[in-house]
Amino acid sequence: MAQLALVFPTPEMENEALAYMAEFRAAGEPMIYGGAGLDRLDSYGDWLAKVHSDLTRDGGGFVPATTYFAVFKSRIVGTISIRHKLNDKLLEYGGHIGYAVRPSDRRKGYATKMLALDKCRELGIEKALVTCDKQNVGSARTIIKNGGVLEDERPREDGGITQRYWITIV
């Protein structure tokens, strides 16, 4: 049986990436979490260049980050971005890991498998902060399944509440 793989984006993945992005838009979800701005850039080539520069981008509110596609049987089922360290804003609301699962592939267990704790370990992250909106029960379950322990809940300017979970990387 095929397994889920985290794959660094390549030029050859453009058509599948565009289909992935189009599905979010068709579902009325214009933002793709963990996608490093895939939903906002003019071209896939520009986005690839950004993903490469993100590996070392540090300062001006940014921290180094690595973005992967979660791929199952050559289909992109998710995106995940791992921030190598936290700044003040990420410590409050963003965390080390941002991720999304393709709308038609939700509730299939992909999110739990793609949290990339082994990738965090490779980056030297011993404790990962993962956050989610309090209303996103599926994301909270995913984080808890991966060992997440709720530290607190913090109100946001938009009126929502962010839950902050810590996962010890072993």
Side-chain angles (χ1 to χ4, degrees), residues 105-165:
D105 286 312
R106 293 180 182 153
R107 301 180 198 264
K108 296 180 181 178
Y110 292 128
T112 299
K113 293 176 184 171
M114 64 186 263
L115 260 195
L117 301 181
D118 59 331
K119 301 287 188 187
C120 290
R121 188 180 311 104
E122 291 170 13
L123 291 166
I125 299 169
E126 296 178 2
K127 234 178 152 182
L129 176 63
V130 187
T131 67
C132 67
D133 185 277
K134 183 173 182 166
Q135 306 233 349
N136 191 340
V137 176
S139 188
R141 282 191 198 130
T142 293
I143 296 165
I144 292 166
K145 280 183 191 175
N146 278 281
V149 176
L150 181 65
E151 178 179 60
D152 61 18
E153 297 179 342
R154 298 191 181 181
R156 297 188 310 265
E157 289 180 11
D158 67 2
I161 296 174
T162 296
Q163 293 183 319
R164 298 172 67 252
Y165 294 85

Side-chain angles (χ1 to χ4, degrees), residues 31-89:
M31 184 171 181
I32 301 174
Y33 292 96
L38 177 63
D39 49 18
R40 296 186 303 272
L41 292 178
D42 293 332
S43 77
Y44 183 75
D46 289 346
W47 179 76
L48 275 181
K50 179 195 177 300
V51 167
H52 280 274
S53 71
D54 284 351
L55 293 168
T56 57
R57 191 174 185 187
D58 200 358
F62 294 94
V63 299
T66 305
T67 300
Y68 298 97
F69 286 132
V71 178
F72 183 76
K73 294 184 178 179
S74 74
R75 176 179 167 85
I76 296 172
V77 298
T79 47
I80 184 162
S81 184
I82 304 167
R83 295 150 195 128
H84 304 182
K85 63 182 183 177
L86 299 177
N87 59 21
D88 291 341
K89 183 178 178 185

